[in-house]
Amino acid sequence: MLTAIVGINWGDEGKGRMVDLLSSDYDIICRYQGGNNAGHTVINDKGKFVLNLLPSGILRETTVNVMGNGMVIDLEHLVGEMKALTDKGIHIGPDNLKISDKAIICMPYHKMQDIMEEERLADKKFGSTRRGIAPVYADKYMKKGIRMEDLLHMDSLYGKLRDIVEWKNITVTGYGHAPVDVDAMMDWLKTYGSVVAPFVTDVSGYLADAAASGKNIMFEAQLGALRDIDFGIYPYTSSSTTLAAYAPIGAGIPGAQLNNTIGIMKAYSTCVGEGPFTVEMFGDEAEQLRAAGGEYGAATGRPRRVGPFDVPASRYGVRMQGASTIALTKLDVLSYLDRIPVCVAYEIDGQRTADFPTGERLNRAKPVIEYVDGFGDVSQCRSYDDLPENAKRYISTLEQAVGCRIEYVSVGAGRDEYVKID
Ligand code: GDP
Ligand code: MG
């Protein structure tokens, strides 16, 4: 069984918590794209964790965790994240963590370049997390990346690094910044690379063997469909492919076919950073929803922009992900509302549409809002029958609107706070 857990919306849908819940049935959990701009929050019997680079399966003793070739990895951050977990008693060793030899290393100069670029753009910035993600992916495709494999060959790494740094300094000095020092970069690679090197392996061969012997593999995405580099709200997207179809490639098993794609969809909308966000609420209404949902970025602490559930955007997200079923998250957050706003369509240039436009037309879209009855407290519900009638109605309204079955509903952040719908 090969299953992808992916985001239907703009990210922060609760992917980490669903991976933590559903990973009990899987042998291997793979992250396949992105870097430490991810923030996946998991609350379980071991405590509360925010994972940026490590797959959320690392918290289960029974799983092996893979960081795939599609990822970009800041070694210093990874070492810090591993230490924070081992300090809390979580075991991390080459037996339960395997890092692709083909994953690209996010260097300190990528972070620096990211910050310089956001500062240069001033009020036109893209809302980058300033973790070097766009510059490191750009370098990957310029074929100026340093791969994890290079950590296993320190002797030949110096020459490669020197050439890359010389090239990078054309850009860095262009920003008016002092050039990057190759020896400092080499020291950084040695310091953190020596900790990480024992985990670096040919993940592709490992996954092929695992799949052939019938192991269950789960792929954990970062961000959501609307942040995909091709199909999202470009250029306010991430720099990688957040879609399920890329999961086997980014993990290292490109010939495999997914059996199952679970789309994680939030009961309302949130968006971190810049870009068009048609359903955005402002003022007290927004503040109430943000407070109810605790909508502050896990990776950055930034207040998330909030709004009602967005049918056109979510329907598009379901289509782009090819979701087989949906996990609807954070239903409990809406408990305080007597009537719940839902954006059922957009109005663009006086025309009503249920299709999600990308590009310029999206900037002119206005939300068409309808209200459905509130359902009160659902936080204690553990089965479908426990749910109030109005909550069942909200769920079936969304199901019909996005055209996909809702299989799980989460009603709290804890591992067991959910309802399964058969
Ligand atoms: P991810 O990036 O998709 O993994 O999501 P985040 O972890 O960034 O954001 C989801 C937030 O909602 C986290 O703080 C979770 O602990 C929390 N959360 C997840 N599911 C639920 C739920 O059903 N109810 C509530 N109230 N919080 C939830
Ligand atoms: Mg997140």
Side-chain angles (χ1 to χ4, degrees):
M1 173 77 104
L2 268 61
T3 297
I5 303 267
V6 294
I8 294 300
N9 310 118
W10 294 262
D12 303 320
E13 298 92 345
K15 294 175 292 293
R17 76 88 75 229
M18 289 311 296
V19 170
D20 176 62
L21 171 65
L22 300 175
S23 56
S24 60
D25 295 334
Y26 290 80
D27 305 294
I28 302 170
I29 315 296
C30 309
R31 269 279 305 269
Y32 64 89
Q33 45 79 225
N36 60 318
N37 52 336
H40 294 177
T41 314
V42 174
I43 301 171
N44 60 26
D45 49 348
K46 299 198 177 70
K48 178 175 176 176
F49 305 89
V50 178
L51 300 161
N52 304 129
L53 284 165
L54 293 164
S56 302
I58 199 77
L59 302 169
R60 273 197 196 271
E61 293 83 1
T62 49
T63 66
V64 174
N65 293 269
V66 166
M67 296 170 68
N69 53 276
M71 288 189 76
V72 289
I73 300 172
D74 177 335
L75 297 178
E76 186 174 351
H77 193 96
L78 178 60
V79 169
E81 196 172 322
M82 286 162 70
K83 182 168 185 319
L85 288 190
T86 48
D87 283 354
K88 285 189 179 176
I90 307 294
H91 165 73
I92 303 179
D95 56 325
N96 74 336
L97 177 66
K98 301 187 187 297
I99 305 175
S100 170
D101 50 5
K102 297 175 185 65
I104 301 280
I105 298 175
C106 183
M107 298 289 295
Y109 53 74
H110 290 125
K111 212 152 72 177
M112 192 172 91
Q113 196 183 337
D114 209 349
I115 293 167
M116 291 187 297
E117 178 59 10
E118 284 282 291
E119 281 170 359
R120 187 187 71 80
L121 289 168
D123 57 346
K124 290 180 292 191
K125 54 180 172 262
F126 290 126
S128 157
T129 51
R130 302 183 170 214
R131 301 205 164 180
I133 307 301
V136 67
Y137 272 113
D139 283 8
K140 170 178 174 172
Y141 290 100
M142 285 290 281
K143 292 160 285 188
K144 304 282 190 201
I146 298 170
R147 285 176 147 192
M148 296 304 281
E149 203 238 351
D150 294 320
L151 298 176
L152 308 179
H153 306 284
M154 283 289 180
D155 297 350
S156 51
L157 178 54
Y158 188 84
K160 196 181 279 186
L161 180 69
R162 192 188 49 217
D163 291 349
I164 290 175
V165 166
E166 194 181 304
W167 170 79
K168 181 57 67 181
N169 277 334
I170 301 170
T171 306
V172 169
T173 54
Y175 280 107
H177 203 278
V180 175
D181 176 43
V182 64
D183 291 319
M185 289 303 104
M186 196 64 203
D187 285 348
W188 184 88
L189 282 166
K190 280 186 183 153
T191 304
Y192 299 105
S194 60
V195 182
V196 171
F199 298 87
V200 177
T201 184
D202 172 16
V203 160
S204 227
Y206 168 73
L207 288 177
D209 291 346
S213 63
K215 295 255 197 280
N216 289 334
I217 304 176
M218 176 180 276
F219 303 96
E220 175 180 9
Q222 178 225 354
L223 287 163
L226 302 166
R227 297 287 189 195
D228 179 73
I229 182 78
D230 291 311
F231 297 97
I233 51 173
Y234 189 86
Y236 300 98
T237 56
S238 197
S239 302
S240 62
T241 304
T242 61
L243 302 180
Y246 182 70
I249 298 176
I253 180 164
Q257 294 251 328
L258 293 173
N259 305 98
N260 196 15
T261 296
I262 304 175
I264 314 300
M265 184 170 92
K266 217 179 217 174
Y268 54 96
S269 301
T270 63
C271 169
V272 180
E274 313 298 319
F277 185 44
T278 311
V279 293
E280 185 162 13
M281 286 173 168
F282 299 95
D284 289 349
E285 194 188 20
E287 202 37 65
Q288 264 187 318
L289 180 53
R290 188 175 297 123
E295 295 298 349
Y296 301 88
T300 58
R302 290 185 288 184
R304 293 172 181 156
R305 299 158 77 192
V306 296
F309 186 83
D310 184 329
V311 170
S314 303
R315 204 158 67 95
Y316 177 79
V318 165
R319 175 157 68 92
M320 288 303 140
Q321 293 292 13
S324 10
T325 58
I326 298 280
L328 183 69
T329 54
K330 306 192 82 163
L331 189 69
D332 56 298
V333 171
L334 301 178
S335 296
Y336 74 96
L337 288 164
D338 292 332
R339 45 178 219 152
I340 303 172
V342 175
C343 170
V344 294
Y346 291 170
E347 199 180 285
I348 305 173
D349 305 330
Q351 296 264 325
R352 188 177 160 137
T353 176
D355 291 332
F356 183 75
T358 53
E360 264 315 306
R361 287 181 72 235
L362 182 58
N363 297 326
R364 301 200 298 279
K366 300 202 169 41
V368 178
I369 303 287
E370 285 179 5
Y371 289 87
V372 299
D373 290 335
F375 39 73
D377 186 13
V378 291
S379 63
Q380 303 308 314
C381 299
R382 294 292 176 270
S383 75
Y384 186 71
D385 292 340
D386 291 346
L387 289 168
E389 282 311 309
N390 283 349
K392 290 180 185 166
R393 206 164 296 139
Y394 188 69
I395 293 166
S396 66
T397 303
L398 300 195
E399 253 178 352
Q400 277 166 27
V402 302
C404 190
R405 186 169 87 82
I406 294 175
E407 189 180 8
Y408 300 92
V409 178
S410 79
V411 294
R415 188 183 267 176
D416 300 325
E417 294 175 312
Y418 75 101
V419 167
K420 183 163 192 309
I421 305 174
D422 292 317

